[in-house]
Amino acid sequence: LPAADLATELNFINPKKAEALQYTDYILTLSEFARESVIRNGWPADRVFTVNLGIDPAQFKPKSVYRKTGPLRLLFTGTLTKRKGLDILFRALDGLDSDALELTLIGPMADAEALLSRHEGRLRCLPFQHHEDLARHYQEADIFVFPSLLDSWAQIVVEAMACGTPAIVTENTGAK
C-alpha cells in the first residue's frame, strides 16, 4: 500500500484493536512471526499462544512424479494484490529467460490488475480454486513462490509443501 493509504487504514484499525484488547485475556496467533509482533507491541508473552494451522493430508498429497525437463513451472496462490509482493516476483523474473519459465497465479483479483496487465503474456491467471483443484496445481508446479510483504501465517505454503512442491517464501510471513 502507498504510505498515505496505509496510514489511513492503520488510523481506522488500530483504535478498534486497542479497544478490543481492553477486554482480552489471551491472544492466539497463527505463527511465531505473529506472536513476536504482538509481544513486541507490548502484550505480555505469557498471555500469547501460537496455534499453527494444519492441512488435510487426504486432500493435499505428495506428487508422485517430479518433472526433469521442460520450463520451470512457478506457482503463486493468494489474493492478487500488491501486498502479496507480486511486483517483487516480477522484478526477480525480469532477469530470467521467459521461455524457460511458466508462471501461474491463482486467486481473486484485488489491486494488482494494472501490474498483471504490464506482464501480460508472461503468466497465466486463474480465479479462486477449490482445494481439490488447488492440490492438483501444487502437484503440477515445480516451485511455489510466495513473495508477500506481510502475512501472519500463509496456509498455502504448508499446502504446497504437503504436495511435495518446494516453496520460496519471504521472511515476512509466519510460514517462513
Side-chain angles (χ1 to χ4, degrees):
L1 289 174
D5 291 346
L6 180 60
T8 300
E9 188 172 326
L10 291 177
N11 287 337
F12 172 77
I13 292 171
N14 286 340
K16 295 197 179 301
K17 284 183 180 178
E19 183 180 346
L21 287 174
Q22 292 177 20
Y23 305 101
T24 302
D25 295 320
Y26 299 97
I27 295 178
L28 300 178
T29 64
L30 298 179
S31 66
E32 284 300 311
F33 177 77
R35 181 179 188 274
E36 292 304 317
S37 174
V38 170
I39 293 168
R40 200 172 37 255
N41 284 285
W43 196 260
D46 63 339
R47 293 174 50 199
V48 183
F49 299 91
T50 300
V51 180
N52 296 122
L53 298 176
I55 55 96
D56 178 358
Q59 191 79 56
F60 297 99
K61 300 175 183 172
K63 59 178 102 185
S64 57
V65 176
Y66 287 83
R67 292 177 333 110
K68 296 180 182 167
T69 61
L72 184 65
R73 294 181 185 166
L74 303 176
L75 175 65
F76 166 90
T77 63
T79 302
L80 303 178
T81 179
K82 295 173 188 172
R83 186 176 68 82
K84 297 294 184 179
L86 294 174
D87 59 330
I88 295 169
L89 176 58
F90 288 122
R91 282 196 313 257
L93 297 179
D94 278 344
L96 302 175
D97 178 5
S98 61
D99 292 335
L101 297 171
E102 289 179 5
L103 174 61
T104 300
L105 307 175
I106 298 176
M109 183 61 69
D111 64 359
E113 196 165 353
L115 175 65
L116 297 185
S117 68
R118 288 196 307 266
H119 296 280
E120 196 170 331
R122 295 186 64 195
L123 56 95
R124 175 174 69 138
C125 277
L126 301 174
F128 170 85
Q129 303 283 301
H130 292 283
H131 280 141
E132 57 274 3
D133 297 321
L134 194 54
R136 181 179 47 78
H137 287 289
Y138 289 137
Q139 292 165 344
E140 291 172 355
D142 297 314
I143 300 174
F144 177 75
V145 291
F146 195 65
S148 183
L149 301 176
L150 180 64
D151 268 277
S152 65
W153 178 235
Q155 179 70 16
I156 52 181
V157 174
V158 179
E159 293 170 353
M161 292 189 309
C163 289
T165 303
I168 298 174
V169 182
T170 62
E171 287 287 316
N172 307 319
T173 71
K176 67 182 177 186

